[in-house]
Amino acid sequence: MGATASGQVTVGEPGTARIAVDLLGGDHAPAVVVDGALRACQADPALHLLLVGPLEAADAVLAALPPGDQARISTLPIAPGDPVDSWVESGVRSAVLAVAQGAADAVLSAGNTGATVTSAALGLGRRPGVRRPPLAAVLPTRAGRLLLLDVGSSVDPDEETVAMHARLGSAYAKVVHGVDEPRVGLLTIGTERGKGDRLRRALPARLAGLDLPGGGRYVGLVEGNDVVTGAIADVVVTDGFTGNVLLKGLETAYAEIGSPHPEIPARAALLLGVEGTVVVCHGAASGPDLAAGIAFAAQLHRQAAVAAMAEMIETQRGAS
């Protein structure tokens, strides 16, 4: 399931998916989120949406749907308040709470990354051993696709945090992408021994000694050009600052000159390491981008991907 070059969402596996959508998240919310929610709902007849935000914004989605489809939309009103930041952030907090309480299966937000990560960590809880849940983005490459993490959650991680992110990324590549023995690389400024800052110089030995889930294996240092080609690694780990800079640069390049695989939504990332499915979209995401993000969240729920990743990591840790 994903978005085509024209912005249409293609429907994949059957099964109901209930997605809590933060109507207040994003640079152009709620209008662009309403557009994305409507596109996603029209494309997937098994999709149910819980629209969290101003009632008038939710009403716009209902008004655009045929009467027979309106039953697939429910609302969780958030009234404007003071200060505005508190009102906006209450949208994602309420969406996360809906998942925690069983009213929704997954969350989609294009709001503030910090608020989303904090809300998910507090509202859903973190998986054992995860101190800083990372954001993982799927990037189109010349060879196919690649998972990049972290892309904005942990800007100054320590060695243990990056090591956990490597485990999470390897499990993701195996469960979601079906990659046997995922290749995990470390992003740095050069592949020569000793290149990079203190963290990058210390990590190779740490990563080389990891027993990665899904049969994953550490393949060494990679550079930015290796992320574009996708020939060396299936998963690339880095700190959230560097990952976010790289991600936004690639997003702009794809928008200007075209993506090698337009069907891969580059503006949606999965928050790994929390007890639930949380998809975060870029604040500047368009309606088609958000529709693809909602479809991605539905796909992950239908695959039971988050639970499968957690089980794989726990089984691997127990055996080591």
Side-chain angles (χ1 to χ4, degrees):
M1 183 179 294
T4 65
S6 63
Q8 290 183 313
V9 179
T10 57
V11 180
E13 302 169 20
T16 299
R18 304 170 301 162
I19 311 301
V21 178
D22 173 19
L23 292 174
L24 298 170
D27 297 346
H28 306 290
V32 70
V33 189
V34 168
D35 179 36
L38 183 60
R39 289 172 182 265
C41 198
Q42 290 172 331
D44 183 352
L47 184 68
H48 291 244
L49 299 182
L50 173 62
L51 303 180
V52 183
L55 274 177
E56 59 270 22
D59 287 343
V61 178
L62 287 167
L65 290 173
D69 289 333
Q70 292 178 1
R72 295 191 286 126
I73 302 294
S74 54
T75 59
L76 182 59
I78 300 293
D82 189 25
V84 173
D85 286 347
S86 177
W87 170 45
V88 170
E89 291 181 8
S90 67
V92 70
R93 287 198 300 266
S94 297
V96 167
L97 185 60
V99 173
Q101 295 177 338
D105 301 312
V107 175
L108 182 286
S109 178
N112 178 273
T113 298
T116 304
V117 173
T118 300
S119 296
L122 294 177
L124 299 173
R126 293 171 294 180
R127 295 287 184 182
V130 177
R131 291 183 288 179
R132 299 184 182 182
L135 281 169
V138 180
L139 299 178
T141 70
R142 187 183 302 161
R145 57 189 172 188
L146 173 148
L147 187 70
L148 176 68
L149 71 161
D150 181 23
V151 295
S153 176
S154 303
V155 298
D156 58 348
D158 57 18
E159 294 173 40
E160 184 56 37
T161 296
V162 178
M164 173 54 76
H165 292 178
R167 294 187 185 98
L168 292 166
S170 184
Y172 183 111
K174 175 65 175 178
V175 171
V176 180
H177 293 164
V179 177
D180 291 325
E181 300 183 353
R183 301 165 299 168
V184 179
L186 172 65
L187 183 65
T188 187
I189 59 173
T191 57
E192 301 88 351
R193 184 181 179 87
K195 278 274 191 174
D197 58 11
R198 183 203 62 78
L199 181 64
R200 245 64 51 158
R201 293 195 301 271
L203 273 169
R206 179 79 176 86
L207 296 177
L210 288 180
D211 185 12
L212 295 171
R217 54 193 175 91
Y218 175 63
V219 295
L221 303 175
V222 299
E223 299 181 71
N225 57 297
D226 299 316
V227 173
V228 175
T229 64
I232 295 178
D234 305 297
V235 178
V236 171
V237 292
T238 186
D239 63 278
F241 182 90
T242 304
N244 190 268
V245 171
L246 176 59
L247 175 66
K248 288 179 178 177
L250 289 175
E251 285 177 344
T252 301
Y254 296 152
E256 293 293 329
I257 64 176
S259 166
H261 297 282
E263 73 280 3
I264 298 176
R267 291 201 162 190
L270 175 63
L271 183 64
L272 295 174
V274 296
E275 301 275 0
T277 303
V278 179
V279 173
V280 180
C281 282
H282 193 296
S286 66
D289 291 332
L290 288 161
I294 293 171
F296 180 46
Q299 173 200 357
L300 292 168
H301 166 67
R302 288 165 176 155
Q303 290 180 337
V306 170
M309 283 184 269
E311 181 179 359
M312 181 178 291
I313 290 173
E314 287 306 305
T315 299
Q316 178 265 333
R317 289 179 67 186
S320 61

